[in-house]
């Protein structure tokens, strides 16, 4: 179709959907710019646009709460009785067997913009380990390599990027020689984007010929896995279970045989790890049974009365917080996509660069001026036939690197301390004396490479390789 015809078609649609302002600078664009702009407009899903604007942009009403919200049962981090102990042993055996048969792959979602951390580059390239300054990507790669050696099968690693960081991430992996993994075992794919809106529901222009867009949230992974061919790739490789994690958690245990085993024994379609919240209002999603279905209700949506409700022993009724660690069946993702599913959107009011329609100037706003829409992966939980939760221990598995040190506790300094503390506790359990300062804090720096141990149990077999540790020592075990 000629460019004039495409313009006419787009112009009619934009008029109909009250977005004609996107063509404000048409007369100033060269041929490439015109083509660029039209391509983006042609890709817009006009059918869902009105509903999106109405339901999510203009509506200020809070999430509609389910009629019945109840606490949800979980598997405790440690077995509580002989029967459970037997079940956990069997689950670990099954999980290990599935890992050694290559039935499980890793999926990291790394498409986020990482704005709070303020790091110039994809978050996965952020250096985090306390001694060797390995980046998050390197750390995960080494864990996957070590798992491959432990279970006798080289697991595949799926990495979700967004169009905003895809090329950078591909380059990082190439430049680092895939961190010692085989290139053929890594599948990098892109998630989709959503356009950004002004507070009154107009799509923003980032440039005169470019719509403002942002990644469509980690929930976008469920569509992108299918669209990119990752699911077909898994099927061809006999992979049945996806171990899902976020790029900003250096304490992740990527392949946990207990979690995998419990998921499979319970015939769950999507399972979650959870931790006991640090307090009623901790800013994590709350696991609930909502009208009988597993659901995560965001901290901002759970009424304070429920958040603070206590059991007779003083513990919180809604005590389980989400840490974005899941096992997802490949067949569940296939089923969702075959049914043309849609996850709800969550709206975030943010500062978004835009081109002012009057002056044509690019504006960096001082206060939030626009809306980004995202979907969240945990909103697929109510769609799963069955779903279980395994509680985990925060100090073992969760140290999110989300923000700058000046902004809050989920920062790299805290995460590094938590990494050292976890490794120190692994060594202490094996009988190693950890030097402490008078105030009880750890008086050395420890880093354990995944090649040395990927979990507490691995340390036992390496006992003879651990040196004595003195105050002030910097110890790296590999
Ligand atoms: P966050 O919600 O912490 O967002 O993502 P973020 O983009 O990393 O950081 P901020 O909010 O801009 O500071 C949690 C995880 O989900 C991934 C992120 O990469 C991170 O692993 N994610 C988030 C995506 O893969 N895509 C998205 O669209 C959003």
């Amino acid at each position: 179709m000629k460019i004039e015809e495409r313009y006419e078609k787009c112009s009619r649609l934009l008029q109909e959907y009250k977005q004609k302002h996107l063509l404000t600078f048409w007369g100033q664009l060269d041929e490439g710019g015109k083509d660029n702009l039209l391509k983006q407009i042609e890709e817009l899903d006009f059918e869902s646009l009105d509903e999106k604007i109405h339901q999510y942009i203009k509506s200020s009403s809070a999430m509609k709460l389910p009629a019945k919200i109840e606490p949800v049962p979980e598997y405790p981090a440690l077995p509580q009785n002989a029967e459970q102990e037997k079940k956990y042993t069997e689950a670990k055996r099954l999980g290990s067997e599935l890992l050694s048969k290559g039935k499980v792959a890793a999926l990291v979602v790394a498409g986020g913009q990482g704005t709070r951390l303020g790091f110039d580059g994809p978050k996965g390239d952020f250096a985090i380990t306390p001694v060797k300054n390995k980046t998050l990507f390197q750390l995960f790669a080494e864990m996957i390599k070590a798992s491959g050696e432990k279970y006798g099968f080289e697991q595949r690693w799926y990495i979700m990027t967004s169009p905003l960081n895809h090329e950078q991430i591909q380059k990082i992996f190439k430049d680092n020689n895939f961190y010692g993994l085989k290139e053929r075992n890594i599948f990098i794919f892109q998630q989709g984007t959503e356009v950004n809106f002004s507070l009154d529901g107009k799509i923003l222009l980032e440039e005169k010929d470019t719509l403002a867009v942002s990644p469509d949230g980690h929930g976008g992974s469920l569509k992108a896995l299918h669209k990119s061919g990752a699911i077909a790739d898994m099927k061809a490789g006999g992979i049945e279970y996806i171990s899902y994690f976020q790029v900003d958690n250096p304490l992740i245990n990527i392949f946990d045989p207990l979690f995998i085993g419990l998921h499979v024994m319970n015939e769950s379609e999507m399972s979650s790890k959870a931790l006991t919240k640090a307090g009623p209002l901790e800013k994590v999603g709350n696991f609930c049974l909502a009208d009988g279905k597993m659901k995560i209700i965001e901290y901002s949506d759970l009424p304070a009365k429920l958040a603070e409700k206590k059991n007779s022993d003083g513990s919180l009724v809604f005590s389980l917080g989400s840490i974005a660690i899941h096992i997802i069946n490949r067949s569940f993702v296939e089923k969702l996509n075959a049914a043309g599913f849609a996850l709800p959107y969550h709206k975030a009011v943010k500062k978004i660069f835009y081109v002012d329609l009057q002056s044509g100037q690019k504006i960096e706003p001082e206060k939030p001026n626009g809306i980004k829409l995202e979907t969240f992966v945990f909103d697929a939980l109510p769609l799963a036939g069955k779903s279980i939760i395994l509680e985990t221990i925060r100090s073992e598995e969760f140290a999110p690197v989300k923000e700058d040190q000046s902004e809050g506790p989920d920062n790299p300094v805290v995460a590094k301390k938590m990494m050292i503390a976890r490794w120190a506790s692994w060594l202490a359990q094996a009988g190693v004396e950890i030097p402490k300062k008078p105030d009880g804090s750890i008086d050395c720096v420890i880093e354990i490479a995944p090649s040395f141990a990927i979990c507490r149990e691995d340390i036992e077999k390496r006992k003879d390789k651990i040196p004595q540790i003195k105050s002030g020592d910097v110890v790296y075990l590999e």
Side-chain angles (χ1 to χ4, degrees):
M1 212 191 284
K2 286 207 191 98
I3 203 143
E4 293 77 17
E5 289 172 46
R6 289 169 64 202
Y7 173 83
E8 281 308 320
K9 195 169 168 216
C10 286
S11 175
R12 273 198 307 277
L13 276 168
L14 291 172
Q15 176 80 35
E16 187 182 337
Y17 287 91
K18 303 188 191 65
Q19 302 288 343
K20 187 88 190 278
H21 63 283
L22 295 177
L23 296 171
T24 304
F25 303 106
W26 182 258
Q28 300 175 26
L29 303 179
D30 60 18
E31 288 309 297
K34 285 180 175 168
D35 183 50
N36 190 37
L37 183 61
L38 290 181
K39 265 195 193 134
Q40 295 166 76
I41 296 170
E42 284 159 355
E43 274 170 20
L44 284 176
D45 179 7
F46 281 100
E47 273 178 31
S48 66
L49 197 60
D50 269 350
E51 193 201 330
K52 249 184 228 169
I53 295 173
H54 202 72
Q55 193 176 340
Y56 297 103
I57 309 286
K58 292 200 171 162
S59 147
S60 57
S61 60
M63 184 200 108
K64 198 165 162 281
L65 281 174
K68 199 165 170 198
I69 305 179
E70 301 162 288
V72 63
E74 86 282 10
Y75 281 98
L78 300 170
Q80 301 296 302
N81 52 45
E83 194 193 330
Q84 221 164 39
E85 195 149 342
K86 208 168 136 220
K87 188 160 191 179
Y88 280 33
T89 306
E90 173 52 17
K92 274 189 198 167
R93 192 207 56 74
L94 175 62
S96 304
E97 183 187 318
L98 292 166
L99 283 163
S100 47
K101 287 185 173 160
K103 299 288 173 202
V104 193
L107 164 63
V108 67
V109 287
Q113 293 178 288
T115 38
R116 284 170 289 166
L117 186 59
F119 169 63
D120 185 20
K123 225 192 238 182
D125 203 32
F126 187 78
I128 193 66
T129 69
V131 176
K132 294 288 175 186
N133 258 319
K134 292 175 191 169
T135 65
L136 287 154
F137 280 145
Q138 179 173 356
L139 184 62
F140 302 147
E142 289 186 13
M143 286 181 202
I144 292 169
K145 187 157 188 234
S147 285
E149 277 154 21
K150 181 170 175 176
Y151 295 106
F153 192 100
E154 292 172 0
Q155 274 85 25
R156 276 176 87 61
W157 187 13
Y158 295 83
I159 299 163
M160 185 174 85
T161 65
S162 84
L164 284 71
N165 65 15
H166 184 73
E167 279 174 21
Q168 269 174 304
I169 291 180
Q170 270 188 324
K171 184 167 181 323
I172 290 165
F173 274 81
K174 282 211 175 94
D175 289 352
N176 288 285
N177 219 355
F178 300 90
Y179 301 104
L181 292 171
K182 299 207 173 80
E183 186 177 352
R184 64 161 193 271
N185 286 330
I186 293 182
F187 191 112
I188 306 181
F189 66 102
Q190 298 186 57
Q191 68 178 110
T193 54
E194 284 288 336
V195 287
N196 299 157
F197 296 90
S198 65
L199 299 175
D200 61 352
K202 299 283 182 224
I203 297 172
L204 292 170
L205 279 173
E206 188 190 317
E207 302 287 346
K208 289 178 178 173
D209 65 352
T210 312
L211 311 190
V213 295
S214 51
D216 59 0
H218 41 68
S221 58
L222 297 170
K223 284 211 162 92
L225 276 166
H226 171 73
K227 210 171 152 196
S228 66
I231 285 290
D233 181 81
M234 288 178 190
K235 196 170 183 178
I239 293 161
E240 288 176 27
Y241 309 104
I242 303 167
S243 174
Y244 171 106
F245 64 103
Q246 299 194 333
V247 76
D248 48 20
N249 179 16
L251 289 190
I252 183 72
N253 178 5
I254 298 179
F255 295 117
D256 178 357
L258 172 65
F259 188 31
I260 298 164
L262 285 175
H263 168 87
V264 175
M265 283 161 80
N266 283 281
E267 296 178 355
S268 171
E269 285 193 302
M270 177 169 175
S271 296
S272 315
K273 276 194 180 173
L275 47 71
T276 303
K277 290 192 299 176
L281 304 177
E282 185 178 356
K283 290 182 176 178
V284 288
N286 294 275
F287 282 99
C288 305
L289 269 187
D291 298 332
K293 281 268 171 199
M294 173 89 73
K295 188 174 171 66
I296 290 180
I297 299 187
E298 284 198 272
Y299 62 90
S300 48
D301 290 327
L302 188 69
K305 215 170 81 195
L306 289 182
E308 279 160 19
K309 198 169 166 189
K310 299 227 168 106
N311 295 308
S312 53
D313 64 359
S315 61
L316 292 172
V317 169
F318 294 94
S319 62
L320 296 174
S322 168
I323 47 173
I325 301 174
H326 302 282
I327 301 287
I328 305 171
N329 284 2
R330 188 201 77 221
S331 59
F332 179 52
V333 183
E334 287 170 342
K335 195 172 81 181
L336 289 178
N337 282 285
F341 78 115
L343 298 179
Y345 286 101
H346 297 255
K347 100 182 194 188
V349 180
K350 301 256 179 182
K351 287 187 209 164
I352 303 169
F353 283 58
Y354 69 102
V355 175
D356 180 70
L357 297 178
Q358 256 81 50
S359 65
Q361 296 296 314
K362 188 144 181 188
I363 310 285
E364 184 182 347
E366 277 168 16
K367 53 180 201 286
N369 63 314
I371 291 172
K372 294 184 179 183
L373 293 181
E374 291 191 338
T375 58
F376 293 165
V377 76
F378 58 65
D379 281 323
L381 284 169
L383 307 176
K386 194 142 186 246
S387 179
I388 61 146
I389 298 175
L390 172 62
E391 190 199 1
T392 185
I393 298 165
R394 188 186 298 257
S395 56
E396 282 288 306
E397 296 198 31
F398 189 58
V401 181
K402 298 249 180 233
E403 53 206 359
D404 184 80
Q405 203 187 346
S406 58
E407 301 292 328
D410 293 341
N411 67 60
V413 179
V414 172
K416 273 183 204 186
K417 272 198 189 137
M418 289 182 75
M419 295 168 89
I420 295 171
R422 182 185 69 169
W423 286 321
S425 99
W426 289 5
L427 296 179
Q429 190 170 308
V432 179
E433 201 169 320
I434 305 296
K436 298 265 171 73
K437 292 183 189 154
D439 67 0
S441 59
I442 296 169
D443 193 17
C444 59
V445 183
I446 302 172
E447 178 172 336
I448 297 183
S451 60
F452 192 86
I454 43 173
C455 63
R456 190 176 280 272
E457 286 136 41
D458 291 349
I459 297 284
E460 263 319 290
K461 293 173 233 136
R462 305 299 211 109
K463 259 178 161 170
D464 55 328
K465 303 236 164 39
I466 306 171
Q468 267 202 347
I469 306 177
K470 298 186 298 304
S471 279
D473 276 359
V474 176
V475 181
Y476 178 66
L477 298 174
E478 65 179 329

